[in-house]
Amino acid sequence: QVQLVESGGGLVQAGDSLRLSCAASGRINRYTMGWFRQAPGKEREFVVAISWSGNTNYDDSVKGRFTIARDNAKAMIYLQMNSLKPEDTAVYSCAASRQWNSGGSRLAEYDSWGQGTQVTVSS
């Protein structure tokens, strides 16, 4: 297991950008790392994942706007969010998995989670 801490959330206007960071307490070289989000009144949903070898899988709702990156040496993952929309408003959480089943999109495959960081996008 690995402890994860997110940062970088905030309040922005539609069309703005944010960069989220996730710091891990241990090595993540062999982990799939993912970002999920949960909006008020909704279930947690998949955003994007990156395998330990660098393969990526984006949800259609963020494809072309969000970019995931990882720095194994620093035990960090990032989520660059551009062209933000009000519907992107949610608590964003990073997670770690030892699997790449379903391109990292399956919630149950993750066994380590951060507390999340709030992203609010106003109209």
Side-chain angles (χ1 to χ4, degrees):
Q1 62 178 348
V2 60
Q3 281 69 53
L4 304 171
V5 180
E6 304 94 337
S7 63
L11 173 63
V12 298
Q13 293 183 322
D16 286 352
S17 297
L18 279 175
R19 190 195 193 204
L20 306 183
S21 299
C22 177
S25 63
R27 298 178 66 87
I28 60 171
N29 301 56
R30 288 288 183 171
Y31 280 84
T32 287
M33 303 299 298
W35 287 96
F36 292 76
R37 64 187 181 186
Q38 187 168 23
K42 300 184 68 176
E43 297 293 318
R44 184 176 294 173
E45 65 178 8
F46 171 75
V47 178
V48 61
I50 183 168
S51 73
W52 63 266
S53 60
N55 295 317
T56 58
N57 181 32
Y58 293 85
D59 184 77
D60 287 341
S61 66
V62 304
K63 196 172 299 181
R65 299 189 298 121
F66 292 9
T67 304
I68 191 171
R70 66 187 299 157
D71 188 334
N72 290 341
K74 296 180 179 178
M76 298 283 293
I77 62 168
Y78 307 95
L79 182 64
Q80 179 66 45
M81 305 186 294
N82 298 328
S83 302
L84 283 163
K85 306 174 181 179
E87 51 262 45
D88 294 319
T89 295
V91 174
Y92 284 72
S93 301
C94 63
S97 170
R98 294 300 302 269
Q99 304 178 44
W100 185 239
N101 295 345
S102 300
S105 64
R106 191 176 301 164
L107 186 72
E109 294 179 355
Y110 291 82
D111 48 25
S112 297
W113 292 86
Q115 285 189 303
T117 184
Q118 176 70 49
V119 172
T120 303
V121 185
S122 63
S123 301

